[in-house]
Amino acid sequence: MNNENHILTTTSNVSKKVTPRSISDVVLKLNEEVGELSTEIGIKKGYIQNKTPGKDGITGEAIDAILCLIDIIYLDNPNLTPEEFDTIVNNKLNKSFCEKLVLFNS
């Protein structure tokens, strides 16, 4: 993958232009996005019947949360390279994620 198109690179480029903020500020925004994601899931599952789905739906709200998480990574480690990011992701997928899937399926 071309590093210019890597999600870490594109998100970091936007993060550099955003008004100064702290990790705590972004975590508060993340909580808001997770709440919106929960609402969309509740609507889709039929648990929330007095609302209609938003235009972005579950996918859009999940992406909003992912972008907040990547912004937190950028704020914590602005020099992280796409290669380092991918290594960490792959290590997590190979270990932690698989372990969590086993727990969910138990």
Side-chain angles (χ1 to χ4, degrees):
M1 171 183 280
N2 181 339
N3 281 350
E4 287 180 18
N5 296 324
H6 192 279
I7 190 167
L8 181 67
T9 304
T10 55
T11 306
S12 296
N13 287 339
V14 172
S15 292
K16 291 173 189 173
K17 298 174 186 174
V18 175
T19 305
R21 70 235 170 268
S22 67
I23 289 174
S24 298
D25 295 330
V26 181
V27 168
L28 290 172
K29 182 64 176 167
L30 172 62
N31 285 331
E32 178 184 324
E33 297 300 343
V34 170
E36 292 172 4
L37 175 59
S38 296
T39 298
E40 290 296 329
I41 292 169
I43 293 168
K44 186 168 188 170
K45 292 291 224 173
Y47 303 137
I48 300 173
Q49 297 177 357
N50 61 337
K51 291 187 176 184
T52 57
K55 66 179 179 129
D56 292 339
I58 291 172
T59 301
E61 296 306 337
I63 290 171
D64 288 345
I66 290 166
L67 294 174
C68 287
L69 291 167
I70 293 173
D71 191 33
I72 291 168
I73 293 167
Y74 167 77
L75 291 170
D76 181 60
N77 188 353
N79 297 317
L80 184 70
T81 67
E83 293 80 13
E84 292 167 330
F85 178 89
D86 288 347
T87 297
I88 294 167
V89 168
N90 287 328
N91 288 340
K92 293 288 184 180
L93 286 173
N94 290 333
K95 181 182 178 213
S96 302
F97 188 68
C98 292
E99 289 171 1
K100 288 179 177 102
L101 285 179
V102 170
L103 291 175
F104 286 129
N105 292 320
S106 299

